[in-house]
């Protein structure tokens, strides 16, 4: 089943985010290689694809996991969690309807 993982950044997280990004992206690449990744990306803190020093306010990942518990465990082990980038993370079942 698909799950939406939404991480909310703490204020002034850009430096920690950039430092932890390589490890974070490697985990996402693993999901992609396994054919489980639907989409992933950050939320710019301002209305710009390149927010510069404004940074990001969080991230969205939609991927396939065996269960809610598996998705929660995967999210809890994210390098952004360990680095203190995310102040909170929510994991919810997700039903993709489009594109069909």
């Amino acid at each position: 089943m698909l799950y939406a993982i939404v991480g909310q950044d703490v204020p002034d997280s850009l430096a920690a985010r950039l430092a932890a990004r390589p490890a974070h992206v490697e985990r996402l690449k693993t999901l992609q290689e396994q054919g489980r990744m639907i989409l992933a990306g950050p939320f710019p803190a301002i209305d710009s694809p390149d927010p510069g020093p404004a940074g990001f306010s969080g991230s969205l990942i939609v991927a396939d996991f065996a269960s809610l518990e598996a998705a929660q465990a995967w999210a809890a082990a994210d390098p952004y969690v360990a680095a203190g980038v995310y102040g909170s993370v929510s994991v919810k079942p997700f039903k993709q309807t489009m594109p069909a």
Side-chain angles (χ1 to χ4, degrees):
M1 178 161 186
L2 297 181
Y3 294 88
I5 301 168
V6 178
Q8 296 291 326
D9 284 24
V10 298
D12 301 315
S13 63
L14 185 57
R17 177 182 268 273
L18 293 174
R21 187 174 189 278
H24 172 77
V25 170
E26 280 304 310
R27 292 180 84 235
L28 296 175
K29 286 181 181 178
T30 298
L31 286 179
Q32 184 174 7
E33 291 164 1
Q34 295 169 348
R36 297 169 47 204
M37 172 65 66
I38 303 302
L39 64 89
F43 300 119
I46 60 173
D47 189 14
S48 172
D50 182 7
F56 299 91
S57 63
S59 304
L60 169 65
I61 300 163
V62 178
D64 184 28
F65 291 92
S67 66
L68 177 59
E69 293 78 15
Q72 290 170 328
W74 188 91
D78 194 291
Y80 282 175
V81 172
V85 174
Y86 293 156
S88 66
V89 178
S90 68
V91 180
K92 296 181 179 184
F94 180 80
K95 182 178 177 186
Q96 181 178 357
T97 57
M98 304 234 12

